[in-house]
Amino acid sequence: MARISGSALRRHFGAVQAEASLIAACQQNFGLIEAKALDRYAATPQIPVMLAPADFVAVKALAEAA
């Protein structure tokens, strides 16, 4: 199981502070969030996965370049 910070959801996936917005952002971007969580887990399975804004910086740069 992995977690993602509210700040990552707001900064990179357009969520606002409201719980419904955070949930919607997570659901709409689940594939990307899941892929990043699995990568982090594979690299260090002994450490719980907590995704933060820094985990999505490269993803944002790729999206802006496209």
Side-chain angles (χ1 to χ4, degrees):
M1 183 171 198
R3 298 180 74 181
I4 184 168
S5 71
S7 60
L9 289 169
R10 287 188 297 277
R11 200 173 300 172
H12 295 288
F13 300 109
V16 295
Q17 192 63 31
E19 183 176 343
S21 177
L22 295 168
I23 292 169
C26 189
Q27 290 173 334
Q28 291 167 0
N29 297 283
F30 184 77
L32 179 60
I33 294 166
E34 180 185 40
K36 180 53 89 170
L38 290 171
D39 285 346
R40 288 271 306 276
Y41 177 77
T44 53
Q46 67 279 13
I47 299 173
V49 175
M50 176 60 171
L51 300 174
D55 291 303
F56 299 98
V57 171
V59 173
K60 185 176 181 182
L62 286 173
E64 290 173 351

